[in-house]
Amino acid sequence: MITGKYPSLRLRRGRKNDWSRRLIQENNLTPNDFILPIFVIDGKNKKIPIKSMPGVYRYTLDKLSYLVDKAIKAGLPMIALFPYTEKKKKKKNLTGTEALNEDNLICKSLQLIKQKYKNEIGIMCDVALDPYTSHGHDGLLNSGYVLNDETIEVLVRQSLLQAQMGCDVLAPSDMMDGRIGRIRKSLDKNGYQMTQILSYAAKYASSFYGPFREAVGSKNLLKGNKKNYQMDFRNSNEALREVALDIKEGADMVMVKPGLPYLDIIRLVKDNFKLPVIAYQVSGEYSLLTNGIRNDLIDKNVIIESLVAFKRAGANAIVSYYADRLDKILK
Ligand code: PBG
């Protein structure tokens, strides 16, 4: 590999001037690298701050056009929709039936955006029941255990409904065994051969999801933890097995989540499988990066450094809560 030695070889020659540093850059960020999560909530003309995520809001549907307009102008390839489902309005229950309601927030958002923007931007939706269950788990619960096969039946219906409403990329984030194959089969059978599946293949049971659970209103509801379905953060071989299975079952892309503490997993997956890998810089990471730093300039540089790390590790794109402020960050 090394083709010379000091003093004739000096790596600092390449770093001396700005033009040269730019010339030899290996990784960089463009708007194409970002997926913007959007939290939607019932009501009118509201933009509600999420306490643990400064700068991130829940929006009512009448604000969607404004957000999507901005995302398209910024050049983002895709948004990801997440619903805040209100317990007060009795929309949460044990089995998360609101997930299958054709008039739920996600279905309404999908129709609205698709009708207006066609294929100008991709729309991704989570496939999981946690915004809709009274216990905050991603699937059906039986004495504290999340049932696999029974949950898949509901997820297949949730997926089909979202595809019918215009979802471009279904993103099962539930970690049930075998769900990708079942979802693919049902999509194909019903005429949705071109709907993509982005599998949260390596999703860890993480303590970095806290602020997101506040954002979707499942935080205080969650009974126990998600360790009987999401992965143990001590493992990496297991992530490769998960990814291999999901690819076999028909995943078009895979997600590694959380982000920064799992760069090793991104690299492993990228080296072992040649398919698009998406990283999710999750809510807890966002809160840490955003709360810890005040000075504007440092703020921006820290954020860029954290985001470029994903590209260096091999990610094709990043789900990031900063994606709506790229004009300020990347400029
Ligand atoms: C739910 C889901 C979670 C996130 C995305 N989809 C939380 C969880 O699994 O409990 C977390 C995102 C974030 O923390 O930013 N299936």
Side-chain angles (χ1 to χ4, degrees):
M1 259 294 262
I2 297 173
T3 54
K5 64 176 197 225
Y6 173 83
S8 56
L9 178 65
R10 293 174 187 266
L11 293 185
R12 287 184 59 192
R13 270 201 288 269
R15 289 179 216 140
K16 187 171 179 217
N17 292 310
D18 180 64
W19 61 263
S20 177
R21 290 193 293 271
R22 282 189 281 127
L23 187 71
I24 62 176
Q25 265 171 10
E26 296 175 41
N27 295 285
N28 230 321
L29 297 166
T30 82
N32 293 333
D33 296 315
F34 290 92
I35 300 166
L36 170 68
I38 297 178
F39 295 106
V40 289
I41 188 166
D42 249 336
K44 275 210 178 86
N45 196 27
K46 277 200 202 126
K47 172 180 176 186
I48 304 167
I50 298 164
K51 259 198 235 106
S52 52
M53 299 176 76
V56 181
Y57 303 85
R58 303 184 194 105
Y59 295 91
T60 51
L61 301 194
D62 49 349
K63 301 263 187 199
L64 273 180
S65 283
Y66 161 77
L67 289 171
V68 176
D69 268 340
K70 257 182 50 181
I72 291 173
K73 279 206 192 90
L76 301 185
M78 185 154 79
I79 56 170
L81 297 173
F82 296 101
Y84 176 88
T85 311
E86 289 180 76
K87 197 183 156 211
K88 271 192 294 201
K89 298 190 177 157
K90 302 221 179 329
K91 292 202 170 156
K92 291 185 192 251
N93 59 25
L94 275 173
T95 53
T97 47
E98 177 68 7
L100 305 178
N101 173 7
E102 295 180 10
D103 275 324
N104 71 22
L105 274 172
I106 292 296
C107 292
K108 281 196 277 196
S109 308
L110 280 168
Q111 287 173 296
L112 221 144
I113 300 169
K114 261 300 149 193
Q115 194 184 20
K116 181 153 180 201
Y117 299 97
K118 309 281 186 287
N119 289 321
E120 284 184 77
I121 192 162
I123 314 175
M124 159 182 156
C125 295
D126 246 40
V127 179
L129 302 183
D130 58 308
Y132 310 110
T133 51
S134 46
H135 43 70
H137 281 288
D138 293 23
L140 306 177
L141 208 56
N142 183 7
S143 351
Y145 187 74
V146 171
L147 298 169
N148 195 84
D149 301 6
E150 293 80 351
T151 297
I152 291 184
E153 298 306 323
V154 188
L155 298 181
V156 166
R157 290 170 61 196
Q158 182 186 25
S159 300
L160 192 56
L161 177 62
Q162 293 184 156
Q164 284 162 345
M165 295 292 164
C167 178
D168 298 294
V169 177
L170 292 163
S173 67
D174 55 290
M175 290 298 281
M176 298 303 114
D177 282 325
R179 86 281 202 217
I180 300 299
R182 288 288 314 281
I183 292 170
R184 183 72 269 162
K185 210 167 145 193
S186 131
L187 290 173
D188 289 354
K189 199 174 80 194
N190 288 284
Y192 296 95
Q193 290 91 344
M194 299 312 281
T195 304
Q196 299 189 44
I197 299 179
L198 163 53
S199 162
Y200 285 74
K203 177 168 178 180
Y204 287 85
S206 169
S207 298
F208 283 91
Y209 303 147
F212 174 93
R213 291 178 190 161
E214 180 202 331
V216 299
S218 71
K219 186 160 195 158
N220 300 322
L221 303 175
L222 185 63
K223 295 219 167 64
N225 55 54
K226 298 192 175 184
K227 291 182 187 173
N228 71 48
Y229 46 110
Q230 299 178 350
M231 277 183 50
D232 186 338
F233 57 78
R234 295 164 185 84
N235 301 346
S236 56
N237 286 333
E238 193 182 345
L240 292 178
R241 296 182 83 190
E242 286 285 0
V243 170
L245 286 169
D246 285 358
I247 293 174
K248 229 186 204 156
E249 291 177 31
D252 299 288
M253 305 177 264
V254 292
M255 179 91 81
V256 174
K257 179 181 171 191
L260 277 188
Y262 297 82
L263 294 179
D264 57 324
I265 307 298
I266 296 173
R267 171 50 62 199
L268 256 182
V269 172
K270 200 66 197 188
D271 284 347
N272 280 278
F273 304 98
K274 302 302 165 193
L275 89 166
V277 176
I278 313 295
Y280 199 139
Q281 187 176 46
V282 302
S283 55
E285 301 173 60
Y286 175 88
S287 297
L288 284 173
L289 287 168
T290 309
N291 287 339
I293 300 150
R294 281 285 143 74
N295 180 307
D296 258 7
L297 188 71
I298 303 175
D299 188 27
K300 185 180 125 174
N301 290 334
V302 169
I303 293 164
I304 291 176
E305 190 172 329
S306 76
L307 294 167
V308 169
F310 289 110
K311 299 289 294 181
R312 206 177 57 235
N316 293 75
I318 309 149
V319 182
S320 165
Y321 298 104
Y322 295 111
D324 60 339
R325 282 156 281 167
L326 291 183
D327 49 340
K328 298 200 184 75
I329 293 168
L330 299 188
K331 136 178 120 195

